[in-house]
Amino acid sequence: MRMLEEIREQPEALRRLAASAARAHEIAEQVRGRRLVRLVAHGSSDNAAAYGVYALGVLAGMTAMRDSISLSVYYEADLDFSDSAVIALSQSGRTQDVVAYLERARARGALTVALTNDAASPLAQAADEVLELQAGEETAVAATKTYSNQIGAVALLAGVEETQLRATADVVEQAVAELEPVVPPVAAPFAFVGRMLIVGRGFEFATAREIALKLTETCRIAAEPLTATAMQHGPVAALDALFPLWVIASDDASLHAVVAAAKRAREIGGTVLASGPAHERVDGAAFRLPSPPAPSPELEPLVSVVAGQLFAWSLARAKGLDPDRPAHLTKITVSP
Amino acid sequence: MRMLEEIREQPEALRRLAASAARAHEIAEQVRGRRLVRLVAHGSSDNAAAYGVYALGVLAGMTAMRDSISLSVYYEADLDFSDSAVIALSQSGRTQDVVAYLERARARGALTVALTNDAASPLAQAADEVLELQAGEETAVAATKTYSNQIGAVALLAGVEETQLRATADVVEQAVAELEPVVPPVAAPFAFVGRMLIVGRGFEFATAREIALKLTETCRIAAEPLTATAMQHGPVAALDALFPLWVIASDDASLHAVVAAAKRAREIGGTVLASGPAHERVDGAAFRLPSPPAPSPELEPLVSVVAGQLFAWSLARAKGLDPDRPAHLTKITVSP
């Protein structure tokens, strides 16, 4: 039951993080002195990095990229880091190639920032600045509260205020309470689904990635995250009633693209699950998981991921799998 | 049979492109005057952009990113383009949001370069510089020769010489000749496969993306491309004998990661297909598709993609599908 408990602990974890807003804003001030932000991470942390591209872009007007680790660590590309800030995300702070990347970037002049749950970890020790996630110990293999605190930490670095993050924590609490009883009967019909597409765009592409990863890890579903546009450029050809599409509908500037993707899937006989505060804008969804709106669109991913976390937990249980200890995975992945 | 014919036309198309090397190098000189390269595209063109991150990084020491289109076009983020070069890739030159992005970036001071097969297209007209793909008309919906000429064009912009590209075209010709008779009996056993992972890293991540897209479009397989490391951070949990793993094994700095991913898949009972010039380094692969080595590792993706193109064409035929006209797709995707 650790995964479920950790899903429930998210509001409290976000409030602990919110208390570090002043520290985050100090670091943000330094980051803004650089022209380019390079985010590096794997797994759920890399999904939080995908959020960072939009949060830093829209809220701080900064160009941010999910950088290639292998380009520096394996290929030893001769890149200029002097105008870059590196934000390295790792719950454990022990992901080897992320540490190796950060060390290399720092030696080449980058400002390096570690976002980690362990301030004594190798990643924290190697970085110029550390922002502790303060998620508390996470024991389920599938990340939940460390993911949401990474989103929260990136939001603070993009300039979100402590009060906004606290208000969002309250909405996350409401979402968990409202969704817990609603999710199991929606998840159960997916017990024999082998493959899914999870569609989100903009800020919610991070949520699509994270929900897909939870479903893959805990339910053994081949769930692929796509932007609404990428879906139309190929994968739509493979959809049918046995290959459902989950669309994350939040009320922001890219909602129209997500609505159009769902419409296209319906036209060709696909089965649609719509979640998020704007789910009613999606016509013809066979399954719906509403969630309350966040205080502002850029903080929506903290709320909209909850439906996916609870769905993955509930479906794993319905399939007789242990969501706390998925097959073939360990909490810290040692890179080859 | 257009898709097969267009696969066969790739060496000739690459030779036509090679004749533009001087023009490409002129444009490359301008690109090198900027600090950051932003690549934008969708579908197969976006896979060629993924190649650009490595080609420009390793060969030209330039930081290159696949930029978010929605960040500029939908969210209207206030980003600084004054130090950026934009390389926009579109076979047709008519992908609406790519054109919209390029216009916005140019107005904000970016140097803009269009890589397109149609020098009279809206994208070409909107850009500062145009490098024509010269792939010839492509009529199959699934891109093949325009993809490889995009890879070739990006390689030229990264500094590859005309003679290297011509030498690679010869190897592509050899690969097509050697693989055509070999692929059908390897592809046929995959007729009822519903989902696959395609693993490549570094330069070959582009190839993994492109092979996955071909399989999804033409064979209706849910094929997801992953780096070797991303696979270990979650998706490995879903693998079994009915969820095969295709690994692209080329002899470069990231081969060890790909070999390790295949080993992990074998340990948990997964079925492995190994392709590429270093396929023999992959132990326990049930299926193999060797290809001849390219003149240098950074041009390998032009050769290693051929096995995937022929596999997708052959498997679609074996399943009674029309690879030239996949369901629900059109040659030019109109963005929502």
Side-chain angles (χ1 to χ4, degrees):
Chain A
M1 302 289 284
R2 278 305 293 157
M3 184 178 171
L4 180 59
E5 287 164 16
E6 287 163 3
I7 292 169
R8 291 172 178 159
E9 286 164 15
Q10 289 178 111
E12 231 7 77
L14 283 170
R15 289 179 191 122
R16 275 195 302 275
L17 174 68
S20 303
R23 169 79 185 122
H25 292 157
E26 277 172 25
I27 297 172
E29 187 65 35
Q30 292 185 60
V31 170
R32 272 195 296 275
R34 305 292 177 117
R35 293 176 70 94
L36 178 64
V37 179
R38 299 173 185 259
L39 300 144
V40 283
H42 290 299
S44 283
S45 305
D46 190 32
N47 301 339
Y51 170 79
V53 171
Y54 290 87
L56 291 159
V58 173
L59 303 179
M62 293 202 70
T63 295
M65 64 190 285
R66 287 170 46 234
D67 202 8
S68 162
I69 291 171
S70 63
L71 193 54
S72 283
V73 174
Y74 294 164
Y75 293 98
E76 301 184 345
D78 183 23
L79 303 178
D80 179 4
F81 283 85
S82 61
D83 240 355
S84 295
V86 166
I87 300 179
L89 301 93
S90 169
Q91 180 276 131
S92 68
R94 291 167 202 284
T95 309
Q96 290 163 338
D97 62 356
V98 173
V99 178
Y101 172 98
L102 183 136
E103 287 170 343
R104 188 180 163 95
R106 188 175 179 181
R108 291 180 158 239
L111 167 72
T112 56
V113 180
L115 299 196
T116 175
N117 218 16
D118 181 357
S121 63
L123 186 69
Q125 288 170 4
D128 294 297
E129 302 291 343
V130 182
L131 183 58
E132 272 191 79
L133 294 178
Q134 303 189 72
E137 193 192 7
E138 185 175 68
T139 58
V141 169
T144 53
K145 64 178 182 172
T146 57
Y147 169 75
S148 49
N149 270 30
Q150 284 173 331
I151 296 282
V154 170
L156 290 172
L157 291 178
V160 162
E161 299 293 337
E162 179 177 353
T163 51
Q164 291 175 281
L165 196 55
R166 289 190 182 278
T168 308
D170 294 345
V171 182
V172 172
E173 190 163 330
Q174 182 193 344
V176 173
E178 288 178 7
L179 283 163
E180 266 202 47
V182 173
V183 163
V186 174
F190 291 75
F192 296 100
V193 164
R195 51 201 206 163
M196 287 179 76
L197 292 183
I198 320 290
V199 165
R201 199 163 180 185
F203 287 96
E204 294 291 25
F205 183 49
T207 311
R209 290 172 58 103
E210 180 62 7
I211 293 178
L213 184 56
K214 292 305 102 165
L215 290 172
T216 305
E217 287 175 324
T218 64
C219 303
R220 309 189 68 172
I221 292 173
E224 186 178 10
L226 289 171
T227 68
T229 309
M231 186 202 98
Q232 310 253 27
H233 280 263
V236 67
L239 289 182
D240 61 29
L242 301 181
F243 190 168
L245 182 78
W246 180 326
V247 292
I248 298 151
S250 292
D251 199 4
D252 83 347
S254 62
L255 176 60
H256 69 286
V258 172
V259 167
K263 181 165 181 284
R264 188 83 188 94
R266 287 294 299 143
E267 283 166 2
I268 63 179
T271 303
V272 173
L273 186 162
S275 69
H279 75 93
E280 289 181 346
R281 294 278 297 278
V282 178
D283 289 332
F287 302 93
R288 292 181 185 276
L289 288 173
S291 58
S296 57
E298 62 267 20
L299 290 166
E300 201 63 74
L302 283 169
V303 184
S304 56
V305 75
V306 173
Q309 294 168 335
L310 287 169
F311 185 105
W313 181 82
S314 176
L315 181 57
R317 300 262 298 184
K319 294 173 74 162
L321 301 171
D322 181 353
D324 292 350
R325 281 175 291 277
H328 315 309
L329 292 178
T330 51
K331 187 75 187 161
I332 302 171
T333 304
V334 179
S335 301
Chain B
M1 300 291 283
R2 278 305 294 156
M3 184 178 171
L4 180 60
E5 288 164 15
E6 286 163 4
I7 292 169
R8 291 173 178 158
E9 286 163 16
Q10 290 178 112
E12 235 1 82
L14 283 169
R15 289 178 191 120
R16 275 196 301 276
L17 174 68
S20 303
R23 169 78 184 124
H25 292 158
E26 277 172 25
I27 298 173
E29 188 64 36
Q30 292 186 60
V31 170
R32 271 196 296 277
R34 305 292 176 119
R35 292 177 72 94
L36 178 64
V37 179
R38 300 172 186 260
L39 299 143
V40 284
H42 291 299
S44 283
S45 304
D46 190 33
N47 301 339
Y51 170 78
V53 170
Y54 291 87
L56 290 159
V58 173
L59 302 178
M62 292 202 71
T63 295
M65 63 190 286
R66 287 169 45 233
D67 203 9
S68 161
I69 292 171
S70 62
L71 194 54
S72 283
V73 174
Y74 294 163
Y75 293 98
E76 301 184 345
D78 184 23
L79 303 178
D80 179 4
F81 283 85
S82 61
D83 240 355
S84 294
V86 166
I87 300 179
L89 301 94
S90 169
Q91 180 275 131
S92 68
R94 290 165 204 285
T95 310
Q96 290 163 339
D97 62 355
V98 173
V99 178
Y101 171 99
L102 182 137
E103 287 170 343
R104 188 181 163 93
R106 188 175 180 183
R108 291 181 158 239
L111 167 72
T112 55
V113 180
L115 300 196
T116 175
N117 218 16
D118 180 357
S121 62
L123 186 69
Q125 288 171 4
D128 293 297
E129 302 292 342
V130 182
L131 184 58
E132 272 191 79
L133 293 178
Q134 303 188 72
E137 193 192 8
E138 185 175 69
T139 59
V141 169
T144 54
K145 64 178 180 172
T146 57
Y147 170 75
S148 49
N149 270 29
Q150 283 173 332
I151 295 283
V154 170
L156 291 173
L157 291 178
V160 162
E161 299 293 338
E162 179 178 354
T163 51
Q164 292 175 281
L165 196 55
R166 288 190 181 280
T168 308
D170 293 346
V171 183
V172 172
E173 189 163 332
Q174 182 191 344
V176 172
E178 289 178 7
L179 283 162
E180 266 202 48
V182 174
V183 163
V186 174
F190 290 76
F192 296 100
V193 164
R195 51 200 207 165
M196 287 179 77
L197 291 183
I198 319 290
V199 166
R201 198 162 181 185
F203 287 96
E204 294 291 25
F205 183 50
T207 312
R209 290 172 57 104
E210 180 62 8
I211 293 178
L213 184 56
K214 293 305 101 165
L215 290 172
T216 304
E217 287 176 323
T218 63
C219 302
R220 308 190 68 172
I221 292 173
E224 186 177 11
L226 289 171
T227 68
T229 309
M231 186 201 98
Q232 310 253 28
H233 280 263
V236 66
L239 289 182
D240 61 29
L242 301 181
F243 189 167
L245 182 77
W246 179 325
V247 292
I248 299 152
S250 292
D251 200 3
D252 83 347
S254 62
L255 177 60
H256 69 287
V258 173
V259 168
K263 183 164 179 284
R264 188 82 188 95
R266 286 295 300 144
E267 284 166 1
I268 61 179
T271 303
V272 173
L273 185 163
S275 69
H279 75 94
E280 289 181 345
R281 294 277 298 278
V282 178
D283 289 333
F287 302 93
R288 292 182 185 275
L289 288 173
S291 59
S296 57
E298 62 267 20
L299 290 166
E300 201 64 73
L302 283 168
V303 184
S304 56
V305 74
V306 172
Q309 294 167 335
L310 287 169
F311 185 105
W313 180 82
S314 176
L315 181 56
R317 301 261 300 183
K319 293 173 74 162
L321 301 171
D322 181 353
D324 292 349
R325 280 174 291 277
H328 316 308
L329 292 178
T330 51
K331 188 74 186 161
I332 302 171
T333 304
V334 178
S335 301

